[in-house]
Amino acid sequence: EPEVTQTPSHQVTQMGQEVILRCVPISNHLYFYWYRQILGQKVEFLVSFYNNEISEKSEIFDDQFSVERPDGSNFTLKIRSTKLEDSAMYFCASSVGGEQFFGPGTRLTVL
Amino acid sequence: GQNIDQPTEMTATEGAIVQINCTYQTSGFNGLFWYQQHAGEAPTFLSYNVLDGLEEKGRFSSFLSRSKGYSYLLLKELQMKDSASYLCAVRVPGNQAGTALIFGKGTTLSVSS
């Protein structure tokens, strides 16, 4: 069964450093998303991506964040200068327009 | 603003039936989803309602009333493995069909023997 994959599973970084989180969506899906979940809190929408451009973003997705689809399979989330409060689980998801399928997540720890 | 409310915690015993309620007030509505999330894992899709009524899928059913801004997830014949967090999420209209899911805080269900 096809699934969304994410790498790395766990990333530890120093405050102020740049990180890139990687995702491979399900191959025939058209819509891609990033969500985050701070420990013990709810899942929060960050950004959606369709047809090679951002279609929606939340207020969390500020200038420190960017997304890219560098080739036909990868979908990346970059945080330019990490802050302590960026520590969270980051989930990638994809869909054909209906239910969204989530990847296993990357746990980002900012020290 | 967007507001989705669910009970924080529920407990039940194996073999029982449990109903998890969700109420929502959102700027538009384009479907309601239920996800299951085990601790430390990704949400997995359970059900989807866009029209009023009941959707049944094995041991799981979900109900929607758009006029009341209300949904519930019904779990029958509970098993220990059903112990998890259950997330109610509303899809709100946006620029494209693949739009954001707004999640509630989740209901942690504990099933005991």
Side-chain angles (χ1 to χ4, degrees), chain B residues 28-43:
Chain B
F29 177 85
N30 195 17
L32 188 142
F33 296 78
W34 284 95
Y35 282 82
Q36 181 190 61
Q37 186 179 31
H38 284 99
E41 297 183 11

Side-chain angles (χ1 to χ4, degrees), chain B residues 17 21 26-27 43 54 63-65 76 78 84 90 99 102 104-105:
Chain B
I17 299 173
N21 296 323
T26 55
S27 55
L54 189 68
F63 172 83
L64 175 67
S65 169
K76 303 174 191 173
L78 280 173
V90 173
T99 51
I102 308 300
K105 292 182 179 179

Side-chain angles (χ1 to χ4, degrees), chain B residues 40-81:
Chain B
E41 297 183 11
T44 55
F45 170 75
L46 290 178
S47 70
Y48 167 58
N49 296 73
V50 66
L51 299 176
D52 291 353
L54 189 68
E55 293 284 338
E56 297 189 79
K57 205 174 177 182
R59 293 191 298 117
F60 297 82
S61 305
S62 57
F63 172 83
L64 175 67
S65 169
R66 288 172 297 169
S67 63
K68 295 181 179 176
Y70 168 69
S71 174
Y72 67 72
L73 179 70
L74 193 71
L75 294 80
K76 303 174 191 173
E77 301 169 17
L78 280 173
Q79 302 173 10
M80 298 290 284
K81 67 178 182 178

Side-chain angles (χ1 to χ4, degrees), chain A residues 32-45:
Chain A
F32 314 120
Y33 309 85
W34 285 101
Y35 292 83
R36 79 172 185 190
Q37 187 175 30
I38 295 170
L39 188 64
Q41 298 189 23
K42 65 180 179 180
V43 177
E44 299 175 290
F45 169 73

Side-chain angles (χ1 to χ4, degrees), chain A residues 15-52:
Chain A
M15 190 170 55
Q17 295 297 303
E18 174 184 285
V19 294
I20 298 176
L21 310 183
R22 302 180 193 280
C23 169
V24 178
I26 295 172
S27 62
N28 64 330
H29 285 190
L30 303 174
Y31 303 91
F32 314 120
Y33 309 85
W34 285 101
Y35 292 83
R36 79 172 185 190
Q37 187 175 30
I38 295 170
L39 188 64
Q41 298 189 23
K42 65 180 179 180
V43 177
E44 299 175 290
F45 169 73
L46 294 178
V47 66
S48 60
F49 193 85
Y50 170 73
N51 201 25
N52 286 318

